[in-house]
Amino acid sequence: MSILVTPDTKVLIQGITGSFGARHAKLSLDYGTKVVAGVTPGKGGQLFEGKVPIFDTVEEAVRETGATVSAIFVPPPFAADAIMEGVDAGLDLVVAITEGIPVIDMMKVKHAMLGSKTNASGRKTRLIGPNCPGLVTPGTGKDSHGGCRIGIAPGYIHKKGTIGVVSRSGTLTYEAVWQLTTRGYGQSTCVGIGGDPINGTSHTDVLKMFNEDPETEAIIMIGEIGGTAEEEAAAWAAEHCKKPIAAFIAGATAPEGRRMGHAGAIVSGGQGTAAGKIAALRAAGIAIAETPSDMADALIARMKSR
Amino acid sequence: MNIHEFQARELFAEFGVATQPGSVSHTPEEAEAVAAGLGGKLVVKAQIHAGGRGKGTFKSGFKGGVHLCDTPAEAKELASNMLGQVLVTHQTGPEGKEVGKIFVGEAVDIARELYFAILIDRASSSPVVIASTEGGVDIETVAHNTPEKILRLTVNPALGLMPYQTRLIAASLGLTGPLMTQASKLFLNLYRLFIERDCSMVEVNPLVVTKDGKLLALDAKFNFDDNALYRQSGVIAMRDVTEEDPREVEASKFGLNYIGLDGNIACLVNGAGLAMATMDIIQHAGGSPANFLDVGGGATREQVTAAFRIILGDKLVKGIFVNIFGGIMDCDIIAHGIVEAAKETGLSIPLVVRLEGNNVEAGKKTLAESGLKLESGENILDAAHKIVAAVKAAA
């Protein structure tokens, strides 16, 4: 098994006719992902790439195609609405790729989701992101073809296997995955949780899922400055995680009080420093990659030492 | 995004947050006219974003960016000593900041100084209010030394700040009787301002009780959520680009995310996380990063060329480290972009490029055959060592 999505997961794409959404919808189709529907209000009845039906609403797309997961590519002003539309339609998972959603919008979405109802499968919708690359469960074909690719990650860098990857950063995820793949280590699922200060799924949430997943044998966790999510994950892992973990934290040289590209990557009032996070991770018995070149090797060394 | 003190007062006025009477002035004559419309003792304050104005010194030799006076004529005289002059404070750096505007207001007779702030708390995904009886000083010091003097109260974003919560805060600050009513109104209006203007932080320090029993927001620091600026035209209009790093302003025109630092090895990277990690690895290899620069996922030739120009505009820069993971982008296209940008900008300092990803072999070949004096890194660490060594060798 993988976590969150499998190669059989039926995916719909909100914002499938925008240039960004269309490009990545096409790449997911090429990867072999079951993209079963698109949603663009006002374009219901049309076909994407001559085969994927487009609907006006998520509710209709779910009803007609049985999609359980959505990827959101709509622009920031409409993203909170798109997320809540997915939640209201009873999806299992909503993955918000959109970068630049106002934090007050996300605050309202997060609170609304706490009070949302469960869907037909008895589940509440989980949100991943926003401002994230999405997630990939690699397939068994050439260059991991046949997997489930939701979002914007390059599919071919993956390889089916047993390492779980969770990260706040897109390109650092690709670095870690590529290092693993070129060393012969495949991945169970790779999850980008996003670089915003308020997000749907935390490092800890994903660690819990990897810990429970029989297919995942070891985990790479990538964090960065700002907030306390990595410290919380370290505290949880120290108590509960049975599997080897290696971590990398970016931003040791970032000046205090500046947002480093990601809205959530900021050290303020001495809180959220790389040094503090690394100390917490070390104290939890997690292997630390000293540099981004060293992420896979740090994990492999830890796996061999057990 | 940050704003000036006088702009903060204008926002207060718009939302009914009590503050001291006064106005902004651009000329000594205007300052005199503003002062004539006010009563009692006056205060004249230089308007720059940097703190430490009161203790700063103008390059002209005139001392202090904040002064008290008694008459409109004195206010005019003070204004003429500040306007058009360069003020140096502990936050401006030795180059200082030219003062283009001043605030003239009624001086306030302070009985008590308090602290009140609203910010977004990541852990609870909610606004939180922070209040303290210890105003007028650095709140982080208060939180560290006397945490019991800090009140922290979480707001449900669906309900907003509730009136009973404002009374709890007022009571904890010792604001009773008519002051509690004033406090409740001030806090509710400030919360409305926070939400309606998409702030990420509003800090009123000090919030003062005057000797004649008024509660006033005397000085404030605002931070606005950059992601929400598209719907805040009034906030954008308050932006003062002369207060920002010109390199950062230039970079933003090309959709580049640039932050200047004080090292000598520039970096050009795709992705925010990788860009931070690249700065870190330069330091790990014994060098010092000159900047954070994320060219985004696309990294077009125009962007790479603009990035090179901005990097080379920094006189401290002695070497460049390009670190690209071409996931979807073809590395060969990126390599062509780097070569053309280097040629177009007449690059003469060491350049180390580390490329990885899609079609990387063709990209490396393009770099090798470019005729440019550049080195390729096998991996990020190798490239970091190479650029650090090259910069040391050239020094």
Side-chain angles (χ1 to χ4, degrees):
Chain A
M1 275 303 286
S2 48
I3 65 165
L4 294 161
V5 292
T6 73
D8 296 323
T9 300
K10 289 179 178 173
V11 181
L12 72 84
I13 294 180
Q14 289 171 260
I16 198 167
T17 54
S19 61
F20 189 39
R23 179 160 182 236
H24 286 285
K26 171 87 168 50
L27 287 168
S28 286
L29 283 167
D30 293 346
Y31 191 63
T33 301
K34 295 191 168 47
V35 178
V36 298
V39 173
T40 298
K43 294 197 176 168
Q46 300 180 14
L47 288 177
F48 175 77
E49 290 283 307
K51 55 186 169 190
V52 179
I54 299 174
F55 300 90
D56 287 322
T57 66
V58 175
E59 186 274 331
E60 192 185 2
V62 168
R63 184 158 37 83
E64 295 295 326
T65 67
T68 56
V69 174
S70 163
I72 292 181
F73 284 91
V74 309
F78 318 109
D81 182 58
I83 295 169
M84 288 315 298
E85 185 178 3
V87 172
D88 220 28
L91 292 166
D92 287 340
L93 180 67
V94 170
V95 183
I97 307 302
T98 308
E99 175 175 6
I101 306 177
V103 68
I104 284 179
D105 291 9
M106 278 313 302
M107 204 167 69
K108 290 178 183 163
V109 164
K110 189 112 195 232
H111 279 261
M113 286 183 71
L114 287 175
S116 67
K117 57 187 189 300
T118 52
N119 63 18
S121 341
R123 268 176 282 209
K124 274 199 179 197
T125 306
R126 170 176 291 285
L127 172 67
I128 289 182
N131 189 13
C132 79
L135 65 162
V136 176
T137 289
T140 49
K142 183 177 181 293
D143 292 337
S144 76
H145 192 273
C148 183
R149 171 191 182 272
I150 298 174
I152 59 175
Y156 71 91
I157 64 171
H158 296 82
K159 171 184 159 74
K160 184 161 179 57
T162 60
I163 311 295
V165 179
V166 54
S167 169
R168 276 165 74 183
S169 151
T171 35
L172 282 175
T173 310
Y174 312 157
E175 290 282 355
V177 168
W178 189 238
Q179 287 171 19
L180 287 167
T181 297
T182 52
R183 284 160 179 75
Y185 287 78
Q187 305 87 39
S188 52
T189 302
C190 304
V191 187
I193 58 173
D196 273 8
I198 295 181
N199 58 16
T201 294
S202 67
H203 280 113
T204 308
D205 294 333
V206 180
L207 287 188
K208 285 179 184 170
M209 289 184 258
F210 280 140
N211 198 38
E212 294 302 313
D213 173 33
E215 195 187 41
T216 301
E217 290 175 2
I219 303 158
I220 289 184
M221 171 176 143
I222 302 166
E224 59 194 32
I225 53 165
T228 54
E230 292 83 355
E231 288 88 330
E232 285 151 25
W236 181 86
E239 285 287 310
H240 305 284
C241 193
K242 329 182 266 261
K243 300 174 182 180
I245 309 177
F248 174 73
I249 302 292
T253 53
E256 169 146 6
R258 298 301 308 267
R259 275 176 212 284
M260 308 304 287
H262 287 154
I266 180 168
V267 174
S268 52
Q271 299 292 304
T273 63
K277 289 174 189 292
I278 289 168
L281 292 161
R282 261 193 224 287
I286 291 169
I288 299 294
E290 298 287 345
T291 76
S293 284
D294 194 33
M295 293 186 283
D297 289 338
L299 182 70
I300 294 164
R302 173 56 58 98
M303 288 164 74
K304 287 186 174 159
S305 75
R306 300 217 339 173
Chain B
M1 201 197 112
N2 298 316
I3 59 172
H4 285 293
E5 178 191 7
F6 77 90
Q7 293 167 325
R9 291 177 193 286
E10 287 170 7
L11 279 174
F12 283 161
E14 184 186 344
F15 283 84
V17 175
T19 184
Q20 75 197 116
S23 185
V24 66
S25 306
H26 302 81
T27 64
E29 292 69 29
E30 205 182 340
E32 187 180 25
V34 170
L38 301 170
K41 218 168 169 55
L42 301 162
V43 63
V44 179
K45 302 170 93 172
Q47 297 295 291
I48 57 171
H49 281 185
R53 291 169 297 169
K55 288 183 181 147
T57 303
F58 287 88
K59 285 196 171 166
S60 62
F62 186 72
K63 290 218 181 311
V66 178
H67 283 271
L68 291 169
C69 65
D70 293 303
T71 66
E74 284 171 0
K76 182 183 177 186
E77 175 68 22
L78 285 168
S80 65
N81 277 311
M82 294 187 194
L83 287 166
Q85 301 297 322
V86 177
L87 178 59
V88 181
T89 81
H90 72 273
Q91 281 188 7
T92 60
E95 64 277 16
K97 270 282 167 201
E98 186 174 330
V99 176
K101 308 167 206 66
I102 52 160
F103 173 79
V104 181
E106 285 184 12
V108 174
D109 221 353
I110 298 169
R112 291 181 64 205
E113 289 189 295
L114 310 168
Y115 176 95
F116 182 90
I118 309 171
L119 46 90
I120 305 270
D121 176 49
R122 297 163 71 136
S124 62
S125 305
S126 303
V128 294
V129 170
I130 293 170
S132 175
T133 51
E134 308 302 297
V137 291
D138 178 29
I139 196 68
E140 279 155 21
T141 312
V142 178
H144 185 261
N145 297 337
T146 48
E148 71 282 0
K149 289 186 173 167
I150 304 268
L151 170 78
R152 211 183 136 87
L153 192 144
T154 303
V155 179
N156 182 326
L159 293 171
L161 183 66
M162 301 292 281
Y164 82 89
Q165 292 180 306
T166 66
R167 294 190 292 272
L168 284 176
I169 301 160
S172 81
L173 295 176
L175 301 170
T176 53
L179 277 170
M180 182 176 270
T181 314
Q182 288 183 50
S184 193
K185 185 176 165 214
L186 190 148
F187 297 157
L188 288 171
N189 284 340
L190 202 61
Y191 184 82
R192 196 165 53 85
L193 162 56
F194 180 87
I195 296 294
E196 287 184 18
R197 288 293 174 269
D198 278 301
C199 300
S200 50
M201 186 193 73
V202 178
E203 182 184 54
V204 179
N205 190 19
L207 171 73
V208 302
V209 180
T210 64
K211 287 193 173 146
D212 57 353
K214 284 198 198 102
L215 187 71
L216 301 176
L218 203 58
D219 204 353
K221 189 166 182 251
F222 278 79
N223 278 327
F224 296 93
D225 176 9
D226 290 340
N227 285 353
L229 290 177
Y230 72 86
R231 62 187 180 198
Q232 295 292 353
S233 56
V235 173
I236 293 173
M238 289 192 282
R239 183 174 175 193
D240 183 349
V241 291
T242 66
E243 289 283 350
E244 296 173 26
D245 182 332
R247 297 170 299 180
E248 293 174 20
V249 175
E250 181 66 14
S252 68
K253 288 181 195 158
F254 293 92
L256 303 168
N257 215 324
Y258 174 96
I259 293 173
L261 304 170
D262 49 16
N264 60 5
I265 298 176
C267 34
L268 190 163
V269 190
N270 66 334
L274 188 59
M276 273 188 273
T278 304
M279 289 164 35
D280 297 348
I281 207 167
I282 288 171
Q283 180 157 304
H284 180 87
S288 172
N291 64 273
F292 168 91
L293 176 54
D294 171 15
V295 294
T300 63
R301 190 171 72 83
E302 289 71 25
Q303 281 183 312
V304 175
T305 308
F308 267 79
R309 269 205 215 94
I310 290 160
I311 284 171
L312 293 171
D314 182 345
K315 295 282 171 277
L316 290 176
V317 168
K318 302 294 179 223
I320 302 178
F321 180 3
V322 175
N323 185 12
I324 303 279
F325 190 96
I328 307 250
M329 278 282 292
D330 184 328
C331 283
D332 195 33
I333 293 174
I334 296 168
H336 278 288
I338 294 166
V339 169
E340 285 172 50
K343 286 185 174 162
E344 212 175 308
T345 51
L347 185 74
S348 60
I349 55 174
L351 169 66
V352 174
V353 180
R354 178 268 180 172
L355 273 183
E356 189 56 88
N358 190 7
N359 203 18
V360 66
E361 292 313 319
K364 284 185 176 166
K365 190 156 171 276
T366 299
L367 291 176
E369 291 169 357
S370 67
L372 284 172
K373 243 182 68 190
L374 61 80
E375 286 186 273
S376 275
E378 282 310 308
N379 56 48
I380 312 177
L381 185 59
D382 175 55
H385 281 302
K386 279 181 174 156
I387 189 64
V388 170
V391 166
K392 283 196 175 143

